[in-house]
Amino acid sequence: GRIFIAIFGVLTAYFSGIMVRLMLVFAPVCCILSGIGVSEVVDNATVYLQNYDDWDDYINGRTDMSPPSSQGSKSSETKSSDRPSSGGRKRSRRPKSIPWEITVLMMSVMLLITSFYIFHCTWAAAEAYSSPSIILSTKNPDGSKLIVDDFRNSYQWVRMNTKPDAKILSWWDYGYQITGMANRTVLVDNNTWNTTHIAQVGKVLASNEEDAYVDLQELDVDYVLLTFGGLANFSGDDLNKFLWIIRIVSGVFPD
């Protein structure tokens, strides 16, 4: 189990560093490793508090038993030289333990960190899921909130001003939204696994007008949908995605 978690953690950390969307894969193992770490810290820090009387008797030589351990933790085996002999001789060394003051401090810091993390996750989830993904919000220079409804309005315009059988070319990110809200056919969507097909769309977006027009005719496209951040300061527009578009296209069409 430990080897599996270690390999899983290293692999997911590496691939999530390459593509940020794979953070979803890294999240479970990150929670597991964090839980193990917190459990070990709490388990070792509270041994002294959980068995205060036993530790006091052991340290002061009033018992010949082995050092006590917390329930569920690994029992600490003590060498014969560390235990008092039947003749009452003192042990050569005392078992390692954490003073209760440091234990309380460590537990308080641990509780503070975990509580802050819970509140932070609640706030982040509320910010992320409190509004639809196609309705954006930003702030004006004066600090007031600006609601950007351009996506929904654009899809509404496409639905009302194009033919029902029109074909629309756009980057794959907007495929499901166009299909669901504009009720129009797209060439690629979020479920397209054919890299060549995605590269053909990227080639159109990366080509000049003359070459793109030829490709559009071959693909039988009626409209091209592009996004630009503009006033909304939307950082996920097609211009910022252009580097990824070029990478995908160059992998299929090197020329």
Side-chain angles (χ1 to χ4, degrees), residues 46-57:
T46 57
V47 169
Y48 186 82
L49 296 180
Q50 294 175 12
N51 305 275
Y52 177 81
D53 294 335
D54 296 336
W55 273 107
D56 185 65
D57 292 341

Side-chain angles (χ1 to χ4, degrees), residues 189-209:
D189 57 27
N190 307 69
N191 197 38
T192 302
W193 290 86
N194 192 332
T195 307
T196 302
H197 202 180
I198 297 177
Q200 288 178 329
V201 174
K203 182 182 177 183
V204 172
L205 300 177
S207 302
N208 55 46
E209 294 182 0

Side-chain angles (χ1 to χ4, degrees), residues 98-235:
I98 302 176
W100 70 271
E101 298 90 347
I102 299 179
T103 299
V104 172
L105 178 62
M106 291 175 60
M107 296 300 297
S108 300
V109 173
M110 188 72 66
L111 179 62
L112 179 64
I113 294 175
T114 52
S115 300
F116 173 78
Y117 182 73
I118 293 174
F119 283 112
H120 172 74
C121 291
T122 304
W123 172 83
E127 289 291 325
Y129 299 111
S130 60
S131 62
S133 59
I134 63 172
I135 300 179
L136 310 176
S137 64
T138 185
K139 291 186 179 297
N140 291 315
D142 59 356
S144 60
K145 192 172 185 179
L146 174 65
I147 301 298
V148 182
D149 201 15
D150 294 349
F151 277 109
R152 191 183 64 83
N153 290 333
S154 300
Y155 299 144
Q156 179 68 13
W157 186 94
V158 172
R159 187 185 185 99
M160 301 301 296
N161 295 275
T162 61
K163 296 180 179 180
D165 60 347
K167 295 181 181 179
I168 300 177
L169 181 143
S170 69
W171 192 233
W172 64 271
D173 290 359
Y174 317 107
Y176 280 160
Q177 296 177 0
I178 296 174
T179 302
M181 302 195 68
N183 195 24
R184 293 297 180 267
T185 302
V186 294
L187 298 185
V188 292
D189 57 27
N190 307 69
N191 197 38
T192 302
W193 290 86
N194 192 332
T195 307
T196 302
H197 202 180
I198 297 177
Q200 288 178 329
V201 174
K203 182 182 177 183
V204 172
L205 300 177
S207 302
N208 55 46
E209 294 182 0
E210 291 77 10
D211 296 335
Y213 180 78
V214 175
D215 293 332
L216 291 172
Q217 290 294 105
E218 294 178 356
L219 296 172
D220 193 21
V221 173
D222 299 305
Y223 298 92
V224 177
L225 187 144
L226 301 173
T227 60
F228 175 66
L231 180 62
N233 296 323
F234 179 51
S235 60

